[in-house]
């Protein structure tokens, strides 16, 4: 029995994540590999305004990492209840987000804070839910990005439904959904692939395989590279180096081109690594080999991109200091906004439960107000709005 | 000569861990299934070290799919296993809801009793720990409303230790609701109580947690402690409150409730879950049917509001606290306060 168990463990720890060569345009030391197919999607990177495009990718990755570090610090200082770090996943998030058009609609999980930043979410809106002030931040229709999703994988079906609507409207936009390696086990995610293929919906599945679902290694979810699942549903897929921002950009652009031109869904597995804990409530030292983290630090997405920029002669003091100043400013603004974020008014508990009046709930609200009017108002939290 | 077992002080979570360990030692067909329950020991550490001691074939880290966990647990039960399924947080159980309601609950009935489904579904439930959304739900009414399931909730380490073992030993499926905000509460545990000893079994019976004459105050899980605190505060004002810890939500031990209400004539029910269609409604109606002529006042419910569980900054406005429970006690005594008369339709 013991032997069987160890075989079983060995099997699931060895598989998925190491098979197949992911698409890579930048090697870990920052060397660019020409790619006949995908270079076609990087005209703006390689063209005349290339320096600007590259600087913008670089800035967003550095600022995103800084936002993430600030989020963790704010949680440690009691300003946030929880924070889900995405450090290590900047290339996957920033590269893909730069490929998505303003008219496309994004359905994220809870960890796509870098994507939301690129999308133009205000800094307080990035932390509102983690501070416990609201269940969501940004206006979904202002950003064309749904609120972050905590229920694992549920958003993938929403993306496919949105894409079905796009299709039935004869529109030319697409939906993009983000999820993790753990989510690929959920029924919802698999059902969403069935629907996407069935209707040939214009949707891009963007799976960030960061190797860990809290304490569970990706091999427990999949015995083959995750990207290989999609073809079984009739969806073309690509496995991309998720720490290579150019590869993530190019592969996402290809997938969106397919969606926008009426050629149906695509599936991308971005192979990356969760360098931090699952959330600030998690302690990865209980389950993760520290050497693994060290190995992945060698493949750091920002260091790789810096090496590439350096090789092109673009990483000068001007760019470095401008990006560092921007990151400082964003971090300071995020901190200020968080610390001074007013608490929600107690009565807001009853707002937005229904779009219209509701006789039973309206009565409960009246009772709530009478009760709190009847006790010392000094014990009430100061209302923010 | 009976050896006296010394009381051991442990946290609620540790008591569950000890109870699970005992259940696994007693029966080799008992297996644990869930997300992150192995090496990590669960996000609340309830299964800490069990995989190390019993092996990965008995403490099974599952793929991240709640419907999958529940459905495969049913298959394991067909093979004679007694699976204990951990749902990581209350809000994540709904993908498994179909398997629980349509399959787990009905299999014994539809197989004419031929297939036993001795599955225990452990669910950390309730709020008060400052979590993001989907981490603080009180889903008990869904399960109480579902025939075929037993639903129980311990409120203290002693009951946690005994009741988890009884749940596992039950041939019926048991939804086992663990009040997550009490995981770190400490209490004395007599490890001879329960299946190992002559002590009475806890699972099916309500417990008079604190005796009183004037008001019967019924709670379960996380609010039992709050109600006990309320009883102490009430006694300072000369009001004697009898606190009943239900322990079993399905079936409810109405004999114990009736005895109490016949004595006090006044009933208050407190729970975190929303009011409409909640357990308070069921208990109020049943006690009205059974003890109508003993009641001095309409039963009073002190509950969460009929809203989605709120963001953490406001959760303590939603959760019944000591003041709101005392307010309910005042109302059932006919004492005027801010909410008096609102039940009667003012």
């Amino acid at each position: 029995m013991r032997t069987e168990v160890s075989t079983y463990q060995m099997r699931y720890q060895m598989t998925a994540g190491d098979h197949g060569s992911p698409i890579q345009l930048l090697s870990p030391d920052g060397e660019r590999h020409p790619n006949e197919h995908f270079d076609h999607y990087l005209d703006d990177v390689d063209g005349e305004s290339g320096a600007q495009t590259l600087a913008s990718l670089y800035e967003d990755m550095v600022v995103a990492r800084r936002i993430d570090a600030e989020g963790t610090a704010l949680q440690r200082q009691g300003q946030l209840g929880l924070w889900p770090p995405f450090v290590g996943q900047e290339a996957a998030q920033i590269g893909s987000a730069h490929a998505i058009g303003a008219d496309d609609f994004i359905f994220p999980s809870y960890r796509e804070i870098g994507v939301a930043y690129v999308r133009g979410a205000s800094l307080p809106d990035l932390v509102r839910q983690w501070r416990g002030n609201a269940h969501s931040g940004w206006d979904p229709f202002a950003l064309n990005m749904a609120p972050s999703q905590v229920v694992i994988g549920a958003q993938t079906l929403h993306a496919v439904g949105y894409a079905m609507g796009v299709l039935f409207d004869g529109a030319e936009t697409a939906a993009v959904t983000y999820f993790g390696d753990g989510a690929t086990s959920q029924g919802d995610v698999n059902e969403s692939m069935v629907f996407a293929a069935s209707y040939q919906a214009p949707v891009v599945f963007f799976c960030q395989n960061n190797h860990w679902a809290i304490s569970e290694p990706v091999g427990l979810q999949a015995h083959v590279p995750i990207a290989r699942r999609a073809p079984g549903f009739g969806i073309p897929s690509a496995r991309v180096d998720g720490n290579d921002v150019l590869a993530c950009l190019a592969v996402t652009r290809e997938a969106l081109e397919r969606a926008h031109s009426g050629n149906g869904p695509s599936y991308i597995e971005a192979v990356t690594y969760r360098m931090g804990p699952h959330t600030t409530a998690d302690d990865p030292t209980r389950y993760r080999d520290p050497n693994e983290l060290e190995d992945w630090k060698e493949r750091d997405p920002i260091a790789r991109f810096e090496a590439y920029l350096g090789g092109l002669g673009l990483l000068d003091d001007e760019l470095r200091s401008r990006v560092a100043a921007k990151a400082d400013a964003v971090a300071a603004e995020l901190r200020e906004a968080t610390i001074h974020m007013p608490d929600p008014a107690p009565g807001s508990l009853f707002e937005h439960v229904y779009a219209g009046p509701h006789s039973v709930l309206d009565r409960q609200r009246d009772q709530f107000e009478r009760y709190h009017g009847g006790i010392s108002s000094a014990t009430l939290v100061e209302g923010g709005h | 000569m009976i050896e006296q077992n010394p009381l051991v002080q442990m946290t609620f979570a540790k008591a569950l861990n000890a109870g699970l360990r005992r259940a696994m030692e007693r029966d080799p067909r008992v297996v644990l299934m869930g997300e992150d329950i192995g090496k990590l020991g669960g996000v609340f550490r309830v299964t800490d070290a069990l995989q190390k001691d019993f092996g990965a074939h008995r403490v099974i880290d599952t793929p991240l799919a709640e419907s999958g966990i529940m459905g495969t647990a049913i298959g394991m039960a067909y093979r004679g296993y007694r699976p204990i399924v951990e749902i990581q947080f209350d809000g994540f159980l709904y993908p498994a809801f179909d398997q629980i309601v349509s399959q787990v609950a009905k299999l014994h009935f539809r197989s004419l009793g031929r297939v036993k489904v001795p599955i225990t579904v452990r669910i950390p439930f309730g709020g008060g720990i400052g979590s993001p959304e989907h981490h603080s739900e009180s889903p008990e009414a869904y399960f109480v409303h579902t025939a075929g399931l037993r639903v129980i909730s311990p409120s203290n380490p002693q009951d946690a230790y005994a009741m988890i073992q009884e749940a596992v030993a039950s041939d019926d499926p048991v939804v086992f609701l663990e009040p997550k905000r009490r995981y770190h509460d400490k209490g004395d545990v007599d490890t001879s109580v329960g299946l190992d000893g002559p002590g009475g079994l806890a699972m099916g019976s309500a417990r008079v947690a604190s005796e009183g004459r004037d008001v019967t105050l019924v709670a379960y899980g996380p609010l039992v402690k709050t109600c006990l605190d309320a009883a102490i505060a009430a006694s300072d004002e000369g009001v004697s409150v009898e606190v009943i810890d239900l322990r079993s939500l399905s079936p409810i031990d109405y004999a114990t409730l009736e005895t109490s209400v016949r004595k006090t004539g006044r009933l208050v029910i407190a729970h975190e879950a929303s009011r409409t269609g909640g357990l308070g409604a069921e208990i109020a109606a049943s006690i009205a049917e059974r003890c109508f002529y003993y009641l001095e006042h309409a039963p009073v419910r002190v509950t969460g509001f009929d809203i989605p569980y709120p963001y953490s900054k406001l959760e303590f406005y939603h959760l019944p606290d000591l003041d709101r429970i005392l307010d309910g006690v005042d109302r059932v005594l006919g004492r005027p306060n801010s909410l008096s008369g609102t039940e009667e339709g003012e």
Side-chain angles (χ1 to χ4, degrees):
Chain A
M1 197 68 186
R2 289 281 164 185
T3 320
E4 281 173 36
V5 169
S6 57
T7 314
Y8 154 76
Q9 279 181 312
M10 210 167 60
R11 220 169 52 223
Y12 83 64
Q13 279 165 5
M14 279 175 53
T15 52
D18 298 309
H19 292 192
S21 249
I23 297 157
Q24 191 183 75
L25 304 181
L26 293 178
S27 62
D29 57 6
E31 195 187 325
R32 178 81 179 264
H33 301 302
N35 184 302
E36 209 174 303
H37 180 70
F38 285 106
D39 283 349
H40 166 64
Y41 293 94
L42 297 176
D43 285 347
D44 58 336
V45 167
D46 296 326
E48 271 179 28
S49 61
Q52 227 174 326
T53 309
L54 291 165
S56 151
L57 288 166
Y58 177 58
E59 178 185 305
D60 282 354
M61 282 203 288
V62 171
V63 172
R65 179 167 290 187
R66 190 61 181 275
I67 287 170
D68 188 53
E70 199 62 34
T72 295
L74 285 164
Q75 194 280 334
R76 296 296 182 229
Q77 292 154 16
Q79 293 293 335
L80 300 179
L82 191 77
W83 181 256
F86 59 96
V87 56
Q89 300 178 218
E90 295 87 353
Q93 293 201 12
I94 305 304
S96 60
H98 273 248
I100 301 169
D103 289 342
D104 298 325
F105 207 102
I106 300 173
F107 290 85
S109 82
Y110 48 88
R111 208 183 293 280
E112 277 68 64
I113 293 158
V115 175
Y117 171 72
V118 171
R119 211 64 184 165
S122 77
L123 298 175
D125 279 349
L126 294 180
V127 298
R128 213 172 287 286
Q129 75 189 105
W130 306 109
R131 190 168 163 84
N133 281 52
H135 281 328
S136 69
W138 55 85
D139 174 351
F141 295 107
L143 263 58
N144 275 348
M145 180 167 180
S148 72
Q149 178 60 256
V150 169
V151 176
I152 304 302
Q155 73 278 12
T156 56
L157 281 165
H158 311 162
V160 174
Y162 187 96
M164 287 162 62
V166 168
L167 187 72
F168 301 154
D169 287 343
E172 285 176 358
T173 59
V176 180
T177 181
Y178 288 90
F179 52 100
D181 44 296
T184 63
S185 293
Q186 288 286 2
D188 278 2
V189 175
N190 289 277
E191 290 175 27
S192 73
M193 289 197 275
V194 172
F195 276 68
S198 187
Y199 297 101
Q200 287 297 291
V203 59
V204 176
F205 295 91
F206 195 93
C207 174
Q208 287 169 89
N209 170 5
N210 71 11
H211 281 79
W212 291 93
I214 307 189
S215 74
E216 298 186 341
V218 60
L220 183 56
Q221 319 291 341
H223 270 238
V224 297
I226 288 167
R228 278 199 214 160
R229 279 198 193 158
F233 288 92
I235 299 175
S237 71
R239 193 155 194 262
V240 61
D241 185 332
N243 286 10
D244 174 349
V245 69
L246 293 186
C248 290
L249 177 64
V251 170
T252 310
R253 280 177 172 170
E254 186 210 30
L256 278 163
E257 182 185 72
R258 192 175 293 122
H260 289 153
S261 57
N263 289 306
S266 308
Y267 191 105
I268 298 165
E269 176 194 0
V271 182
T272 180
Y273 192 74
R274 194 194 79 204
M275 286 182 167
H278 163 69
T279 66
T280 46
D282 178 37
D283 173 14
T285 64
R286 286 179 67 100
Y287 54 77
R288 204 156 74 170
D289 181 350
N291 293 323
E292 189 183 278
L293 179 58
E294 291 308 310
D295 287 349
W296 278 92
K297 280 183 180 164
E298 300 291 311
R299 285 174 266 180
D300 184 287
I302 295 179
R304 180 186 310 200
F305 200 53
E306 283 178 339
Y308 175 59
L309 293 178
L312 294 176
L314 292 174
L315 192 67
D316 53 17
D317 288 346
E318 193 274 328
L319 180 62
R320 270 187 192 281
S321 60
R322 183 166 61 76
V323 167
K326 170 86 180 187
D328 285 346
V330 166
E333 190 188 333
L334 177 65
R335 164 165 294 272
E336 281 301 295
T338 303
I339 291 170
H340 296 115
M341 191 177 289
D343 284 342
S348 70
L349 284 176
F350 298 91
E351 288 170 11
H352 310 304
V353 181
Y354 298 97
H358 185 285
S359 56
V360 170
L361 188 59
D362 293 346
R363 194 179 151 85
Q364 289 184 14
R365 184 210 297 255
D366 290 345
Q367 292 180 351
F368 179 82
E369 282 165 5
R370 284 176 65 176
Y371 174 77
H372 284 294
I375 62 169
S376 165
S377 59
T379 63
L380 289 183
V381 173
E382 288 301 315
H385 49 263
Chain B
M1 192 171 140
I2 298 167
E3 248 183 76
Q4 195 68 37
N5 251 54
L7 295 176
V8 186
Q9 202 190 57
M10 51 178 101
T11 64
F12 196 111
K14 186 69 195 162
L16 280 171
N17 181 276
L20 288 168
R21 177 178 292 278
R22 191 72 201 94
M24 295 184 78
E25 286 166 352
R26 186 181 291 115
D27 183 348
R29 303 300 276 180
V30 171
V31 294
L32 271 52
M33 302 171 71
E35 298 159 5
D36 304 293
I37 66 171
K39 219 176 210 176
L40 184 63
V43 297
F44 293 107
R45 310 291 184 260
V46 169
T47 56
D48 191 26
L50 295 179
Q51 189 182 63
K52 180 170 65 71
D53 296 342
F54 290 95
H57 59 304
R58 292 193 66 196
V59 180
I60 304 163
D61 267 334
T62 63
L64 212 163
E66 291 78 12
S67 178
I69 303 169
M70 200 62 62
T72 53
I74 295 170
M76 299 275 283
Y78 268 104
R79 281 291 300 177
Y81 284 92
R82 302 184 89 84
I84 307 172
V85 166
E86 174 176 309
I87 299 293
Q88 193 163 77
F89 279 92
D90 36 50
F92 302 161
L93 81 87
Y94 301 109
F97 198 66
D98 171 59
Q99 287 289 341
I100 297 174
V101 172
S102 302
Q103 307 300 329
V104 170
K106 294 182 168 72
L107 186 49
H108 191 256
F109 183 70
R110 57 189 277 264
S111 70
L112 310 178
R114 293 175 183 121
V115 182
K116 300 275 191 291
V117 194
I119 294 175
T120 300
V121 186
R122 293 183 39 238
I123 308 172
F125 88 118
I129 64 164
S131 277
E133 66 177 331
H134 308 299
H135 289 69
S136 304
E137 314 251 311
S138 295
E140 58 269 27
Y142 301 129
F143 299 118
V144 169
H145 193 65
T146 301
L149 302 174
R150 294 183 188 273
V151 184
I152 64 178
S153 181
S155 70
N156 58 74
Q158 176 68 70
D159 282 350
Y161 175 78
M163 285 164 67
I164 188 64
Q165 295 179 62
E166 292 173 60
V168 175
S170 167
D171 278 341
D172 288 319
V174 177
V175 174
F176 190 86
L177 296 162
E178 302 172 3
K180 66 171 87 77
R181 67 163 137 155
R182 303 295 178 209
Y183 273 144
H184 301 299
D185 288 6
K186 283 184 179 160
D188 288 332
V189 175
D190 177 351
T191 53
S192 71
V193 168
L195 298 179
D196 289 327
L201 297 186
M203 183 175 133
S205 63
R207 176 178 69 101
V208 178
S210 169
E211 285 191 23
R213 298 177 313 273
D214 303 328
V215 174
T216 299
L217 176 56
V218 176
Y220 51 88
L223 287 189
V224 171
K225 182 177 184 299
T226 316
C227 286
L228 287 168
D229 292 343
I232 292 168
S235 73
D236 291 345
E237 296 176 18
V239 177
S240 171
V241 174
E242 179 148 296
V243 178
I244 295 185
D245 176 358
L246 279 184
R247 298 202 284 209
S248 176
L249 316 190
S250 180
I252 286 172
D253 173 12
Y254 279 113
T256 299
L257 263 60
E258 283 176 51
T259 303
S260 180
V261 171
R262 289 200 173 118
K263 176 172 68 177
T264 64
R266 298 171 199 273
L267 173 66
V268 176
I269 311 122
H271 55 65
E272 291 187 9
S274 295
R275 168 172 302 215
T276 298
L279 228 58
E282 181 59 35
I283 293 169
S286 296
I287 290 299
E289 287 169 346
R290 291 161 186 249
C291 305
F292 187 68
Y293 293 107
Y294 292 87
L295 287 173
E296 305 282 347
H297 191 282
V300 167
R301 288 175 285 166
V302 183
T303 69
F305 301 107
D306 289 344
I307 60 174
Y309 195 85
Y311 20 95
S312 59
K313 287 274 183 189
L314 296 185
E315 68 180 331
F316 289 107
Y317 284 97
H318 173 68
L319 295 170
D321 59 8
L322 185 137
D323 285 334
R324 273 176 65 195
I325 291 168
L326 287 175
D327 193 86
V329 168
D330 277 348
R331 270 180 285 144
V332 86
L333 285 165
R335 296 177 170 186
N337 66 21
S338 63
L339 295 185
S340 294
T342 55
E343 276 74 20
E344 287 78 31
E346 264 187 20

